[in-house]
Amino acid sequence: MRRLLIACAILALVSTGCAGRKKNDSIDQRLLTPRETYDAALEEVQRKKLRRATELLGRIDYRLGEDRAELEPLVRLGTADATFYQNNDLALIDARALYLDFVTLYGDHPSAAYAQFQAGVCSLSQVSNPSRDQTETLQAIDDLKLVEARFPDSTYATAARLLRRVAEGRLVEHELLVGRFYLKKKAYIAAIERFQKALSEFPDSSKTGEMFLALGEGMLRSGDTQQGRFYIDRVMTDFAGTGLDERAKKVLKKTEAQPAKE
């Protein structure tokens, strides 16, 4: 039956020749059921024709006898995915809103955990450089925490935990950049405060060794030798063989030779 409908569609298109786009679209919509339109949209996604996929999904008419309760969540999620894969800042903002709408409307759906996870991915994808404002990174962390809180038994909870650590590492890297700027300006107290804040908020980040090193350097240069040596020693002990230990030795040698205070 489906092949017959497709053949009819082809004949209709040929017979209309140069007929307007609007008429062709109405023929397509009349011949395809909502489920077939949804399948066609997924094929467009696979072909990376994302705008066309979004258009098809938006044309689905649930009054044509399909099971709306089953199909509508899939259409909403498909629209969010097609928007996400456009991969620009505006599309990511729109996709995040669509994913969160899905979670709000279908919190018990099997794909709700995926949608919540994708909301976090959308936020994190908007910040590619640690020197930029990190508002979206903070937003991503909140989104990912919700995956763990609401869907703890989902496979996406584990993925969210790992991605959250990436996001936290990015925040720490941002604080390192700002703190090192203060060090260059000899604003040691301001630098130390940035390092301490990041270390306190994210003690298990992938940048802990870098943070210890920066904090030790800031304290040594500010004149706090005891605390500075404590962090430098931690780097040389806990991160031996990583390259950080050699950098710590150089910092120690330099600050001992030329101590400075704010």
Side-chain angles (χ1 to χ4, degrees):
M1 180 64 179
R2 183 174 181 179
R3 290 180 179 176
L4 177 61
L5 290 175
I6 293 174
C8 290
I10 293 173
L11 288 173
L13 290 172
V14 172
S15 64
T16 53
C18 297
R21 179 181 178 87
K22 184 175 181 181
K23 186 173 182 180
N24 286 342
D25 285 350
S26 65
I27 291 172
D28 289 342
Q29 191 169 2
R30 185 176 67 245
L31 291 175
L32 296 179
T33 67
R35 174 66 67 171
E36 289 168 336
T37 305
Y38 171 73
D39 291 341
L42 294 188
E43 291 177 5
E44 295 297 328
V45 171
Q46 292 295 322
R47 296 166 61 190
K48 299 183 179 180
K49 295 187 176 182
L50 303 173
R51 295 187 184 278
R52 174 61 175 166
T54 304
E55 177 190 345
L56 285 170
L57 291 166
R59 285 171 44 184
I60 291 177
D61 187 350
Y62 298 105
R63 296 172 299 176
L64 299 180
E66 290 280 346
D67 184 356
R68 181 168 187 166
E70 177 186 355
L71 188 59
E72 185 172 15
L74 300 179
V75 171
R76 285 182 177 272
L77 197 58
T79 303
D81 284 340
T83 305
F84 169 76
Y85 290 130
Q86 293 177 33
N87 197 31
N88 59 68
D89 283 351
L90 182 59
L92 290 169
I93 292 170
D94 291 342
R96 178 178 181 272
L98 292 170
Y99 284 126
L100 291 180
D101 284 346
F102 182 93
V103 176
T104 299
L105 293 170
Y106 308 104
D108 295 329
H109 194 276
S111 295
Y114 164 77
Q116 183 65 54
F117 176 78
Q118 283 293 99
V121 174
C122 288
S123 296
L124 194 58
S125 298
Q126 294 176 58
V127 187
S128 57
N129 192 313
S131 65
R132 290 178 53 182
D133 178 76
Q134 297 296 305
T135 300
E136 285 82 8
T137 305
L138 289 167
Q139 184 172 266
I141 290 173
D142 289 340
D143 290 336
L144 295 167
K145 283 182 177 178
L146 280 175
V147 180
E148 299 177 67
R150 293 190 59 178
F151 312 100
D153 298 326
S154 166
T155 55
Y156 288 101
T158 301
R161 191 175 305 112
L162 294 173
L163 191 59
R164 178 166 58 83
R165 290 203 58 175
V166 172
E168 291 172 351
R170 188 172 294 177
L171 285 180
V172 172
E173 193 171 354
H174 174 75
E175 294 301 316
L176 278 167
L177 285 173
V178 176
R180 284 169 178 156
F181 171 79
Y182 286 138
L183 284 181
K184 289 182 180 179
K185 296 294 183 180
K186 298 184 179 181
Y188 303 129
I189 302 304
I192 289 169
E193 288 176 351
R194 298 300 291 245
F195 299 144
Q196 287 178 325
K197 179 176 181 292
L199 191 58
S200 174
E201 292 181 353
F202 308 109
D204 299 321
S205 82
S206 60
K207 299 290 183 179
T208 299
E210 291 273 2
M211 193 61 67
F212 282 167
L213 180 58
L215 189 54
E217 181 178 359
M219 288 178 169
L220 287 173
R221 293 174 66 178
S222 71
D224 189 347
T225 305
Q226 183 177 0
Q227 283 296 309
R229 283 298 304 264
F230 170 79
Y231 285 107
I232 293 297
D233 288 344
R234 284 286 303 272
V235 173
M236 291 191 290
T237 301
D238 297 351
F239 299 91
T242 65
L244 287 174
D245 54 338
E246 294 301 321
R247 288 170 56 189
K249 291 175 184 177
K250 290 179 181 179
V251 167
L252 185 60
K253 183 177 180 180
K254 182 178 179 180
T255 52
E256 285 179 342
Q258 295 179 328
K261 295 183 180 181
E262 188 174 26

